[in-house]
Amino acid sequence: MTHQQKKWSKLAAIVVIVIVAAYFLFPIGESINLGLDLQGGTQVVLEADEGDVSRDAMQRLVSVIDRRVNQMGLTEPNIQQEGNRRVIVELPGIEDPEQAIETIGRTAQLQFKNPAGEVVMTGEHLVDARASYGGQFNEPVIQFELDREGRDIFANLTQEYIGQRIGIYLDDEQLTNPTVQDPITGGEGVITGHSSLEEAEETAILLRAGALPVPVSVIENRTVGPVLGEIAINESVRAGIIGLVLVALLMIFLYRTSGLIATFALAIYGVIVLGALAGLNATLTLPGIAGLILSIGMAVDANIIIFERIKEEIGSGKTLRAAINSGFKRAFKTILDSNVTTLITAAILAYFGTGPVRGFAITLSIGILASMLTAIVVTKSVIDLLLDINVLKGQGSFGQIRG
Amino acid sequence: MVLSIISKDLDIIGKRKIWFLISAVIIIVGLVSMFTQGMNLGIDFTGGTIIEFAFEEEVSTDDIRVVMEEFDLAGDSIIQSSGDTGILIRTVDLEQEEISQIQNEVYNRYESAEMLRSEMVGPTIGDELTRNALLALAVAIVAIVAYISIRFQFKFAIAAIIALVHDILILLGIISLLGREINSPFIAALLTVMGYSINDTIVIFDRVRENLKYKRKQSFAELNNRAVVDTLPRSINTSATTLACIAAVFVFGGATIQTIMLALLIGILAGTYSSVFIASPALVELDAWQKRRKEMSEASV
């Protein structure tokens, strides 16, 4: 490739990257996931009560909780395992956290007990459970359906204990204690003993989703009300815009024409970072904003390092073009080493950290990569382009030169 | 303009005892505060519950205390006003059911009440948070030392870590002095300062490395001074721009983000100071110490 071709392909690459980033960013209001601290909602951390939980049990735990949350009809819930014993449940914009937390955290072990109090069947054979009005007195009931194996067990059971009582327990709490009238062979049954249809519906959700393989406790529970969430996001956006405008003004004041170029590079940096956050489906939290601000600082810093270096080169008597070329070359090494060290830190934090620390580390890493790209490629290409069309001339285009 | 006050003859390395003294005073004051009044740890570290309400009517902390008395929690609660019309309750760790009961009771009594947030953190989380952050910090320091030792030299790595620890101590000390409550976002701010500190120091060390190659006639101290002075415009301009951005977010960003931003302001000021006045001077001291040891071992042979 000739020098000219190289220049144009660089510019083309920048345009493509910006277009891809902009594509992920569209539509702007919905493209970036906001953390619960910014948009309001409830976050619950559940921990298995037992000290040692198998991987398999944890996986089942997550999937049972997932099913429960999905059946509650909430928008965009997020359930993920953290560490070996914990599950994080995020429920954005939830109205009644109390009920949700109660439903999510219940063990919901369904047991059928014979008159002697021995467990004769559990809820694991349930394939469906629906709440409705029914039974003898048209009361709230749960109609359940058993799998093939459960059907046989249940048939034998109801045969054996005909005329006696079989107690139905949820987490050791008796729901009902009916007398078996006839053997039930169809694998379907009815559970009474609910005070309202809502309660029956809640229990039905639990039964459908299955019992938790291990009992859990809520060890962390945060609810940010919609009012506070809205204040937080509005204030952060406004503050961010004011901050960016200040940075742009300072850069133009300090470095004139090239400050303007840096501002342009910064705008592209902004689009790339936000696009990457949207594209990677990352979640932006308050600590994440701290990470973004640091990376803005580093993006500006990269430009400042380059411009100061060019000014030094001009000061040592080089022509503008020669000064720009050697300034970029020397600054590149500086930027690489300083950013790689920070990147190492960010990567380690992303690996070891949890929650806010990880969010911070991820936004910071994206920011560092984008800032290197914009400072080294975008700023350089634009400066080259302006040099070619003779817009950049005279030494003043990099601000005051020291002798 | 900023640049015109920078003279090429500035002697920063030569006056290093003064810079060390200034830092030592600030760090010692901070350490005294940390050991006497400690850090004001929030529920993320101690465990407990926070419930915050906003009202349109006049509601005093005593009014809310009455509510907490109903739940037998008044003795375990710190109730204070927050913002213009808000009340913040901090108490022991509660079940969601209890939080909802308190919320409903407040809603019943005050029509305009709006619950802004409720946070419950179990007692084990705090230790874990601290432990994980320290572990991450330790691993990060080892990795940084390794990288700088490979790209530069071991003594550069040690000097960079000295500057890093300097910044962290100053930040912790001032936050302790100010009595600001810290929670897990503060850890993110602390880590940000760490990243900035290292980044800032490396830019100057990069110049020292370059000078080592091209200007062999000068002493190590002179090389360092040259590097610090030559990169001074960059140090000043970068921190001015970054600080302007952070100051804007600090002023306009609202209460939720303020402690993070304050920590960043302090930390980045300390970071800029340390990369100019501590890192290279420390490097010069390390170099001198290394040479003295070498001479001594040669003399003893």
Side-chain angles (χ1 to χ4, degrees), chain A residues 86 98 219-223 225 227 235 238 255 294 298 301 308-309 311-312 334 337-342 345 360, chain B residues 3 44 96-97 100 116-120 122 125 128 147 151 192 194 198-199 206-207 209-210 233-234 237-238 252 254:
Chain A
R86 288 191 189 149
E98 184 184 357
I219 55 164
E220 203 179 313
N221 167 12
R222 297 172 197 265
T223 299
V227 175
E235 284 181 334
R238 188 184 60 171
Y255 296 104
L294 177 63
M298 291 173 66
D301 183 40
E308 287 298 335
R309 200 70 213 225
K311 275 162 61 170
E312 277 184 62
T334 315
D337 270 334
S338 61
N339 283 358
V340 166
T341 346
T342 315
T345 322
F360 160 81
Chain B
L3 302 184
D44 285 354
Q96 176 61 42
E97 201 185 335
S100 297
L116 294 179
R117 65 182 169 129
S118 73
E119 297 184 18
M120 187 286 289
I125 300 269
E128 216 181 88
Y147 183 78
R151 297 283 295 174
T192 308
M194 230 178 90
I198 286 290
N199 190 289
D206 170 73
R207 188 59 74 92
R209 176 175 63 183
E210 194 183 303
R234 172 263 161 192
N237 289 351
T238 292
F252 299 104

Short mmCIF file of all heavy atoms in Angstrom, two decimals, chain A residues 86 98 219-223 225 227 235 238 255 294 298 301 308-309 311-312 334 337-342 345 360, chain B residues 3 44 96-97 100 116-120 122 125 128 147 151 192 194 198-199 206-207 209-210 233-234 237-238 252 254:
data_model
loop_
_atom_site.label_atom_id
_atom_site.label_comp_id
_atom_site.label_asym_id
_atom_site.label_seq_id
_atom_site.Cartn_x
_atom_site.Cartn_y
_atom_site.Cartn_z
N ARG A 86 -23.88 -18.14 45.75
CA ARG A 86 -24.79 -16.99 45.71
C ARG A 86 -25.48 -16.81 44.38
O ARG A 86 -24.95 -17.17 43.33
CB ARG A 86 -24.00 -15.72 45.99
CG ARG A 86 -23.62 -15.67 47.41
CD ARG A 86 -23.08 -14.33 47.78
NE ARG A 86 -22.53 -14.46 49.11
CZ ARG A 86 -21.52 -13.76 49.55
NH1 ARG A 86 -20.96 -12.87 48.78
NH2 ARG A 86 -21.08 -13.96 50.76
N GLU A 98 -41.53 -6.72 48.41
CA GLU A 98 -41.73 -7.65 49.53
C GLU A 98 -42.24 -9.00 49.03
O GLU A 98 -41.69 -10.05 49.34
CB GLU A 98 -42.72 -7.06 50.53
CG GLU A 98 -42.87 -7.95 51.74
CD GLU A 98 -43.92 -7.45 52.71
OE1 GLU A 98 -44.50 -6.38 52.47
OE2 GLU A 98 -44.16 -8.14 53.71
N ILE A 219 -29.11 -12.17 51.80
CA ILE A 219 -28.02 -11.55 52.54
C ILE A 219 -27.80 -10.10 52.11
O ILE A 219 -27.04 -9.37 52.71
CB ILE A 219 -26.69 -12.32 52.40
CG1 ILE A 219 -26.32 -12.49 50.94
CG2 ILE A 219 -26.76 -13.66 53.10
CD1 ILE A 219 -24.88 -12.88 50.76
N GLU A 220 -28.46 -9.71 51.03
CA GLU A 220 -28.35 -8.33 50.61
C GLU A 220 -29.61 -7.99 49.84
O GLU A 220 -30.11 -8.83 49.10
CB GLU A 220 -27.12 -8.16 49.70
CG GLU A 220 -26.58 -6.77 49.64
CD GLU A 220 -25.35 -6.67 48.75
OE1 GLU A 220 -24.44 -7.51 48.88
OE2 GLU A 220 -25.33 -5.76 47.91
N ASN A 221 -30.10 -6.81 50.03
CA ASN A 221 -31.38 -6.46 49.44
C ASN A 221 -31.42 -4.95 49.27
O ASN A 221 -31.43 -4.21 50.23
CB ASN A 221 -32.47 -6.95 50.40
CG ASN A 221 -33.84 -6.39 50.07
OD1 ASN A 221 -34.06 -5.80 49.02
ND2 ASN A 221 -34.76 -6.55 51.00
N ARG A 222 -31.37 -4.50 48.03
CA ARG A 222 -31.37 -3.05 47.81
C ARG A 222 -32.50 -2.66 46.89
O ARG A 222 -32.68 -3.27 45.84
CB ARG A 222 -30.07 -2.61 47.13
CG ARG A 222 -28.84 -2.87 47.96
CD ARG A 222 -27.60 -2.57 47.14
NE ARG A 222 -26.44 -3.16 47.74
CZ ARG A 222 -25.62 -2.52 48.57
NH1 ARG A 222 -25.86 -1.27 48.87
NH2 ARG A 222 -24.59 -3.12 49.09
N THR A 223 -33.25 -1.68 47.32
CA THR A 223 -34.30 -1.17 46.47
C THR A 223 -34.06 0.32 46.24
O THR A 223 -33.90 1.06 47.20
CB THR A 223 -35.68 -1.36 47.12
OG1 THR A 223 -35.89 -2.76 47.29
CG2 THR A 223 -36.78 -0.80 46.24
N GLY A 225 -35.90 3.45 44.74
CA GLY A 225 -37.22 3.87 44.26
C GLY A 225 -37.11 4.58 42.93
O GLY A 225 -36.05 5.09 42.57
N VAL A 227 -38.17 7.37 41.94
CA VAL A 227 -37.87 8.80 42.03
C VAL A 227 -36.36 9.01 42.10
O VAL A 227 -35.78 9.79 41.35
CB VAL A 227 -38.56 9.42 43.27
CG1 VAL A 227 -38.15 10.88 43.42
CG2 VAL A 227 -40.07 9.29 43.15
N GLU A 235 -29.23 13.64 36.84
CA GLU A 235 -28.09 14.41 37.33
C GLU A 235 -26.78 13.93 36.74
O GLU A 235 -25.92 14.72 36.39
CB GLU A 235 -28.04 14.35 38.85
CG GLU A 235 -29.08 15.24 39.50
CD GLU A 235 -29.03 15.21 41.02
OE1 GLU A 235 -28.56 14.17 41.57
OE2 GLU A 235 -29.46 16.18 41.64
N ARG A 238 -26.54 15.13 33.09
CA ARG A 238 -26.27 16.56 33.01
C ARG A 238 -24.83 16.86 33.42
O ARG A 238 -24.10 17.57 32.73
CB ARG A 238 -27.24 17.31 33.94
CG ARG A 238 -27.14 18.82 33.78
CD ARG A 238 -28.03 19.53 34.78
NE ARG A 238 -27.65 19.19 36.14
CZ ARG A 238 -28.13 19.78 37.23
NH1 ARG A 238 -29.06 20.71 37.10
NH2 ARG A 238 -27.74 19.43 38.43
N TYR A 255 -4.68 24.09 23.29
CA TYR A 255 -3.99 23.59 22.10
C TYR A 255 -4.57 24.09 20.78
O TYR A 255 -4.26 23.55 19.72
CB TYR A 255 -3.97 22.05 22.11
CG TYR A 255 -3.18 21.49 23.28
CD1 TYR A 255 -3.83 20.96 24.38
CD2 TYR A 255 -1.80 21.54 23.28
CE1 TYR A 255 -3.11 20.48 25.46
CE2 TYR A 255 -1.08 21.07 24.35
CZ TYR A 255 -1.73 20.53 25.45
OH TYR A 255 -1.02 20.07 26.51
N LEU A 294 -12.60 8.35 34.33
CA LEU A 294 -11.16 8.12 34.31
C LEU A 294 -10.69 7.88 32.88
O LEU A 294 -9.66 8.40 32.45
CB LEU A 294 -10.78 6.91 35.17
CG LEU A 294 -9.30 6.55 35.13
CD1 LEU A 294 -8.45 7.68 35.70
CD2 LEU A 294 -9.03 5.27 35.90
N MET A 298 -8.03 9.72 30.49
CA MET A 298 -6.91 9.07 29.80
C MET A 298 -6.95 9.34 28.30
O MET A 298 -5.90 9.43 27.66
CB MET A 298 -6.93 7.57 30.08
CG MET A 298 -6.58 7.30 31.54
SD MET A 298 -6.76 5.60 32.00
CE MET A 298 -5.50 4.86 31.00
N ASP A 301 -5.60 12.68 27.98
CA ASP A 301 -4.18 12.59 28.30
C ASP A 301 -3.37 12.13 27.10
O ASP A 301 -2.31 12.68 26.79
CB ASP A 301 -3.98 11.64 29.49
CG ASP A 301 -2.53 11.56 29.91
OD1 ASP A 301 -1.88 12.62 29.91
OD2 ASP A 301 -2.06 10.46 30.23
N GLU A 308 2.06 17.70 23.35
CA GLU A 308 3.23 18.24 24.05
C GLU A 308 4.51 17.74 23.38
O GLU A 308 5.48 18.46 23.26
CB GLU A 308 3.21 17.85 25.52
CG GLU A 308 2.18 18.58 26.37
CD GLU A 308 2.42 20.09 26.43
OE1 GLU A 308 3.57 20.53 26.23
OE2 GLU A 308 1.43 20.83 26.64
N ARG A 309 4.47 16.48 22.97
CA ARG A 309 5.64 15.92 22.32
C ARG A 309 5.92 16.62 20.99
O ARG A 309 7.05 16.95 20.66
CB ARG A 309 5.37 14.42 22.07
CG ARG A 309 6.62 13.61 21.86
CD ARG A 309 7.36 13.53 23.16
NE ARG A 309 8.80 13.49 22.92
CZ ARG A 309 9.62 12.65 23.54
NH1 ARG A 309 9.17 11.83 24.45
NH2 ARG A 309 10.90 12.68 23.29
N LYS A 311 5.08 19.63 20.25
CA LYS A 311 5.58 20.96 20.55
C LYS A 311 7.07 20.93 20.89
O LYS A 311 7.85 21.79 20.47
CB LYS A 311 4.79 21.57 21.71
CG LYS A 311 3.51 22.23 21.22
CD LYS A 311 2.49 22.45 22.32
CE LYS A 311 2.95 23.34 23.44
NZ LYS A 311 1.80 23.68 24.32
N GLU A 312 7.47 19.90 21.63
CA GLU A 312 8.89 19.77 21.96
C GLU A 312 9.71 19.57 20.70
O GLU A 312 10.81 20.13 20.56
CB GLU A 312 9.11 18.57 22.89
CG GLU A 312 8.86 18.89 24.35
CD GLU A 312 9.19 17.71 25.24
OE1 GLU A 312 10.36 17.29 25.25
OE2 GLU A 312 8.26 17.18 25.89
N THR A 334 4.95 5.93 24.94
CA THR A 334 4.51 6.40 26.26
C THR A 334 3.07 5.96 26.53
O THR A 334 2.75 5.41 27.59
CB THR A 334 4.54 7.94 26.31
OG1 THR A 334 5.76 8.39 25.74
CG2 THR A 334 4.40 8.43 27.73
N ASP A 337 2.71 2.10 27.11
CA ASP A 337 3.12 1.59 28.42
C ASP A 337 2.21 2.06 29.54
O ASP A 337 1.83 1.28 30.41
CB ASP A 337 4.57 2.02 28.72
CG ASP A 337 5.55 0.98 28.21
OD1 ASP A 337 5.14 -0.20 28.12
OD2 ASP A 337 6.70 1.32 27.91
N SER A 338 1.83 3.34 29.50
CA SER A 338 1.00 3.84 30.59
C SER A 338 -0.38 3.19 30.55
O SER A 338 -0.94 2.82 31.58
CB SER A 338 0.89 5.36 30.55
OG SER A 338 0.29 5.77 29.35
N ASN A 339 -0.92 3.00 29.34
CA ASN A 339 -2.25 2.41 29.26
C ASN A 339 -2.26 0.92 29.52
O ASN A 339 -3.20 0.39 30.09
CB ASN A 339 -2.89 2.72 27.90
CG ASN A 339 -3.39 4.14 27.83
OD1 ASN A 339 -3.30 4.88 28.80
ND2 ASN A 339 -3.92 4.53 26.70
N VAL A 340 -1.19 0.23 29.11
CA VAL A 340 -1.14 -1.21 29.36
C VAL A 340 -1.10 -1.48 30.87
O VAL A 340 -1.79 -2.38 31.36
CB VAL A 340 0.06 -1.88 28.64
CG1 VAL A 340 0.30 -3.28 29.18
CG2 VAL A 340 -0.20 -1.95 27.15
N THR A 341 -0.34 -0.65 31.61
CA THR A 341 -0.31 -0.86 33.06
C THR A 341 -1.71 -0.70 33.66
O THR A 341 -2.14 -1.50 34.49
CB THR A 341 0.62 0.17 33.76
OG1 THR A 341 1.42 0.79 32.78
CG2 THR A 341 1.45 -0.48 34.80
N THR A 342 -2.42 0.33 33.21
CA THR A 342 -3.77 0.53 33.75
C THR A 342 -4.70 -0.59 33.30
O THR A 342 -5.55 -1.05 34.06
CB THR A 342 -4.32 1.89 33.29
OG1 THR A 342 -3.32 2.87 33.46
CG2 THR A 342 -5.53 2.29 34.10
N THR A 345 -4.29 -3.55 35.51
CA THR A 345 -5.04 -3.33 36.75
C THR A 345 -6.52 -3.59 36.53
O THR A 345 -7.17 -4.31 37.30
CB THR A 345 -4.86 -1.87 37.23
OG1 THR A 345 -3.53 -1.47 36.97
CG2 THR A 345 -5.20 -1.74 38.69
N PHE A 360 -17.04 -1.32 37.21
CA PHE A 360 -16.05 -0.27 37.03
C PHE A 360 -14.92 -0.72 36.12
O PHE A 360 -14.53 -0.03 35.18
CB PHE A 360 -15.50 0.12 38.41
CG PHE A 360 -14.20 0.82 38.38
CD1 PHE A 360 -14.14 2.17 38.10
CD2 PHE A 360 -13.02 0.12 38.61
CE1 PHE A 360 -12.92 2.81 38.06
CE2 PHE A 360 -11.81 0.76 38.57
CZ PHE A 360 -11.76 2.12 38.29
N LEU B 3 1.82 27.53 30.94
CA LEU B 3 3.11 27.04 30.47
C LEU B 3 4.26 28.00 30.74
O LEU B 3 5.38 27.58 30.95
CB LEU B 3 3.05 26.76 28.97
CG LEU B 3 1.98 25.76 28.55
CD1 LEU B 3 2.08 25.50 27.07
CD2 LEU B 3 2.13 24.47 29.32
N ASP B 44 -22.37 -1.13 53.68
CA ASP B 44 -21.72 -2.11 52.81
C ASP B 44 -20.59 -2.82 53.54
O ASP B 44 -20.26 -3.96 53.24
CB ASP B 44 -21.15 -1.42 51.56
CG ASP B 44 -22.24 -1.06 50.58
OD1 ASP B 44 -23.39 -1.45 50.84
OD2 ASP B 44 -21.96 -0.40 49.59
N GLN B 96 -37.02 -8.08 54.60
CA GLN B 96 -37.81 -7.23 53.70
C GLN B 96 -39.18 -6.94 54.29
O GLN B 96 -39.71 -5.84 54.16
CB GLN B 96 -37.94 -7.91 52.34
CG GLN B 96 -38.82 -7.17 51.34
CD GLN B 96 -38.29 -5.79 51.00
OE1 GLN B 96 -37.09 -5.60 50.83
NE2 GLN B 96 -39.18 -4.81 50.92
N GLU B 97 -39.75 -7.92 55.00
CA GLU B 97 -41.07 -7.74 55.60
C GLU B 97 -41.08 -6.55 56.57
O GLU B 97 -41.99 -5.73 56.56
CB GLU B 97 -41.43 -9.03 56.34
CG GLU B 97 -42.90 -9.20 56.56
CD GLU B 97 -43.18 -10.44 57.42
OE1 GLU B 97 -42.33 -11.36 57.43
OE2 GLU B 97 -44.22 -10.45 58.06
N SER B 100 -40.83 -3.28 54.72
CA SER B 100 -42.12 -2.91 54.15
C SER B 100 -43.08 -2.38 55.21
O SER B 100 -43.84 -1.44 54.97
CB SER B 100 -42.76 -4.10 53.44
OG SER B 100 -41.96 -4.50 52.37
N LEU B 116 -37.29 6.67 48.94
CA LEU B 116 -36.29 6.83 47.88
C LEU B 116 -35.52 5.55 47.67
O LEU B 116 -35.27 5.13 46.56
CB LEU B 116 -35.33 7.96 48.23
CG LEU B 116 -35.93 9.37 48.26
CD1 LEU B 116 -34.87 10.40 48.64
CD2 LEU B 116 -36.53 9.74 46.91
N ARG B 117 -35.10 4.94 48.77
CA ARG B 117 -34.35 3.69 48.64
C ARG B 117 -34.37 2.93 49.95
O ARG B 117 -34.60 3.51 51.01
CB ARG B 117 -32.91 3.97 48.24
CG ARG B 117 -32.16 4.73 49.31
CD ARG B 117 -30.74 5.03 48.87
NE ARG B 117 -30.16 5.98 49.81
CZ ARG B 117 -28.98 5.81 50.41
NH1 ARG B 117 -28.26 4.75 50.16
NH2 ARG B 117 -28.52 6.70 51.25
N SER B 118 -34.15 1.63 49.87
CA SER B 118 -33.91 0.84 51.07
C SER B 118 -32.79 -0.12 50.73
O SER B 118 -32.74 -0.67 49.63
CB SER B 118 -35.17 0.08 51.47
OG SER B 118 -35.38 -0.99 50.58
N GLU B 119 -31.87 -0.25 51.64
CA GLU B 119 -30.73 -1.15 51.38
C GLU B 119 -30.49 -1.98 52.62
O GLU B 119 -30.39 -1.44 53.71
CB GLU B 119 -29.47 -0.34 51.05
CG GLU B 119 -29.61 0.47 49.79
CD GLU B 119 -28.32 1.18 49.41
OE1 GLU B 119 -27.26 0.78 49.90
OE2 GLU B 119 -28.40 2.12 48.62
N MET B 120 -30.42 -3.28 52.43
CA MET B 120 -30.09 -4.16 53.54
C MET B 120 -28.86 -4.96 53.15
O MET B 120 -28.81 -5.54 52.08
CB MET B 120 -31.26 -5.11 53.83
CG MET B 120 -31.09 -5.95 55.07
SD MET B 120 -29.91 -7.30 54.94
CE MET B 120 -30.79 -8.42 53.87
N GLY B 122 -26.22 -7.91 54.68
CA GLY B 122 -25.95 -8.86 55.75
C GLY B 122 -24.57 -8.64 56.34
O GLY B 122 -23.71 -8.01 55.71
N ILE B 125 -21.10 -9.68 54.37
CA ILE B 125 -20.71 -9.07 53.10
C ILE B 125 -19.52 -8.13 53.25
O ILE B 125 -18.61 -8.12 52.43
CB ILE B 125 -21.90 -8.30 52.50
CG1 ILE B 125 -23.06 -9.24 52.26
CG2 ILE B 125 -21.51 -7.54 51.27
CD1 ILE B 125 -23.08 -9.86 50.92
N GLU B 128 -16.11 -9.57 53.36
CA GLU B 128 -15.79 -10.14 52.07
C GLU B 128 -15.38 -9.06 51.08
O GLU B 128 -14.44 -9.23 50.32
CB GLU B 128 -17.05 -10.81 51.58
CG GLU B 128 -16.78 -12.04 50.82
CD GLU B 128 -18.10 -12.59 50.37
OE1 GLU B 128 -18.56 -12.20 49.29
OE2 GLU B 128 -18.67 -13.38 51.11
N TYR B 147 5.20 -6.07 35.23
CA TYR B 147 5.19 -5.39 33.93
C TYR B 147 6.25 -4.28 33.86
O TYR B 147 7.01 -4.20 32.91
CB TYR B 147 3.81 -4.81 33.62
CG TYR B 147 3.72 -4.17 32.26
CD1 TYR B 147 3.59 -4.95 31.11
CD2 TYR B 147 3.80 -2.79 32.11
CE1 TYR B 147 3.52 -4.37 29.86
CE2 TYR B 147 3.73 -2.20 30.87
CZ TYR B 147 3.60 -2.99 29.74
OH TYR B 147 3.54 -2.41 28.50
N ARG B 151 9.39 -3.94 31.33
CA ARG B 151 9.50 -2.83 30.37
C ARG B 151 10.52 -1.78 30.82
O ARG B 151 11.07 -1.08 29.98
CB ARG B 151 8.14 -2.16 30.19
CG ARG B 151 7.08 -3.06 29.60
CD ARG B 151 7.25 -3.24 28.12
NE ARG B 151 7.05 -1.98 27.39
CZ ARG B 151 7.26 -1.86 26.09
NH1 ARG B 151 7.70 -2.89 25.39
NH2 ARG B 151 7.06 -0.71 25.49
N THR B 192 -9.84 3.54 40.91
CA THR B 192 -9.64 4.52 39.84
C THR B 192 -8.38 5.33 40.10
O THR B 192 -7.55 5.54 39.21
CB THR B 192 -10.84 5.48 39.77
OG1 THR B 192 -12.02 4.72 39.71
CG2 THR B 192 -10.75 6.38 38.57
N MET B 194 -5.90 4.44 41.84
CA MET B 194 -4.77 3.55 41.61
C MET B 194 -4.37 3.53 40.14
O MET B 194 -3.21 3.68 39.79
CB MET B 194 -5.21 2.14 41.99
CG MET B 194 -4.30 1.42 42.89
SD MET B 194 -5.03 -0.19 43.24
CE MET B 194 -4.35 -1.15 41.92
N ILE B 198 -0.72 5.12 38.64
CA ILE B 198 0.25 4.33 37.89
C ILE B 198 0.45 4.92 36.50
O ILE B 198 1.57 5.13 36.03
CB ILE B 198 -0.24 2.87 37.78
CG1 ILE B 198 -0.08 2.17 39.11
CG2 ILE B 198 0.51 2.11 36.71
CD1 ILE B 198 1.37 1.90 39.48
N ASN B 199 -0.66 5.21 35.85
CA ASN B 199 -0.62 5.76 34.49
C ASN B 199 0.23 7.02 34.45
O ASN B 199 1.10 7.20 33.60
CB ASN B 199 -2.07 6.06 34.09
CG ASN B 199 -2.19 6.39 32.64
OD1 ASN B 199 -1.75 7.46 32.23
ND2 ASN B 199 -2.77 5.51 31.86
N ASP B 206 8.66 6.84 31.50
CA ASP B 206 8.93 6.59 30.10
C ASP B 206 9.96 7.59 29.58
O ASP B 206 10.88 7.25 28.83
CB ASP B 206 7.62 6.71 29.32
CG ASP B 206 7.83 6.70 27.82
OD1 ASP B 206 8.15 5.61 27.30
OD2 ASP B 206 7.72 7.77 27.20
N ARG B 207 9.82 8.84 30.04
CA ARG B 207 10.76 9.87 29.61
C ARG B 207 12.14 9.64 30.24
O ARG B 207 13.17 9.86 29.61
CB ARG B 207 10.21 11.25 29.97
CG ARG B 207 11.01 12.39 29.39
CD ARG B 207 11.07 12.31 27.86
NE ARG B 207 9.82 12.68 27.25
CZ ARG B 207 9.52 13.92 26.86
NH1 ARG B 207 10.38 14.89 27.00
NH2 ARG B 207 8.36 14.17 26.32
N ARG B 209 13.37 6.77 30.97
CA ARG B 209 13.94 5.66 30.21
C ARG B 209 14.55 6.16 28.90
O ARG B 209 15.66 5.77 28.53
CB ARG B 209 12.83 4.64 29.93
CG ARG B 209 13.24 3.46 29.07
CD ARG B 209 12.12 2.46 28.94
NE ARG B 209 10.94 3.00 28.28
CZ ARG B 209 9.81 2.32 28.11
NH1 ARG B 209 9.70 1.09 28.55
NH2 ARG B 209 8.79 2.87 27.50
N GLU B 210 13.81 7.06 28.24
CA GLU B 210 14.29 7.61 26.98
C GLU B 210 15.57 8.41 27.19
O GLU B 210 16.54 8.28 26.45
CB GLU B 210 13.19 8.49 26.39
CG GLU B 210 13.40 8.85 24.94
CD GLU B 210 12.31 9.80 24.47
OE1 GLU B 210 11.13 9.43 24.58
OE2 GLU B 210 12.64 10.91 24.05
N PRO B 233 4.39 20.19 31.53
CA PRO B 233 3.19 20.73 30.88
C PRO B 233 2.11 19.67 30.71
O PRO B 233 0.94 19.92 30.95
CB PRO B 233 3.71 21.18 29.51
CG PRO B 233 5.16 21.35 29.66
CD PRO B 233 5.60 20.40 30.74
N ARG B 234 2.55 18.48 30.30
CA ARG B 234 1.59 17.39 30.15
C ARG B 234 0.94 17.05 31.50
O ARG B 234 -0.27 16.88 31.58
CB ARG B 234 2.29 16.17 29.55
CG ARG B 234 1.45 14.93 29.51
CD ARG B 234 1.74 14.05 30.70
NE ARG B 234 0.67 13.09 30.94
CZ ARG B 234 0.59 12.38 32.05
NH1 ARG B 234 1.49 12.53 33.00
NH2 ARG B 234 -0.38 11.52 32.21
N ASN B 237 -1.52 19.91 32.37
CA ASN B 237 -2.68 19.99 31.49
C ASN B 237 -3.60 18.78 31.65
O ASN B 237 -4.82 18.92 31.64
CB ASN B 237 -2.24 20.12 30.03
CG ASN B 237 -1.64 21.49 29.76
OD1 ASN B 237 -1.72 22.38 30.60
ND2 ASN B 237 -1.03 21.65 28.60
N THR B 238 -3.01 17.60 31.78
CA THR B 238 -3.84 16.41 31.93
C THR B 238 -4.64 16.46 33.22
O THR B 238 -5.85 16.23 33.23
CB THR B 238 -2.98 15.14 31.91
OG1 THR B 238 -2.44 14.99 30.61
CG2 THR B 238 -3.82 13.92 32.24
N PHE B 252 -22.42 19.06 39.95
CA PHE B 252 -23.74 18.91 39.34
C PHE B 252 -24.31 17.50 39.44
O PHE B 252 -25.45 17.27 39.07
CB PHE B 252 -23.69 19.34 37.87
CG PHE B 252 -23.29 20.76 37.68
CD1 PHE B 252 -22.01 21.09 37.26
CD2 PHE B 252 -24.18 21.79 37.97
CE1 PHE B 252 -21.63 22.41 37.09
CE2 PHE B 252 -23.81 23.10 37.81
CZ PHE B 252 -22.52 23.43 37.37
N GLY B 254 -25.17 15.49 41.85
CA GLY B 254 -26.13 15.06 42.87
C GLY B 254 -25.48 14.23 43.96
O GLY B 254 -24.33 13.81 43.86
#
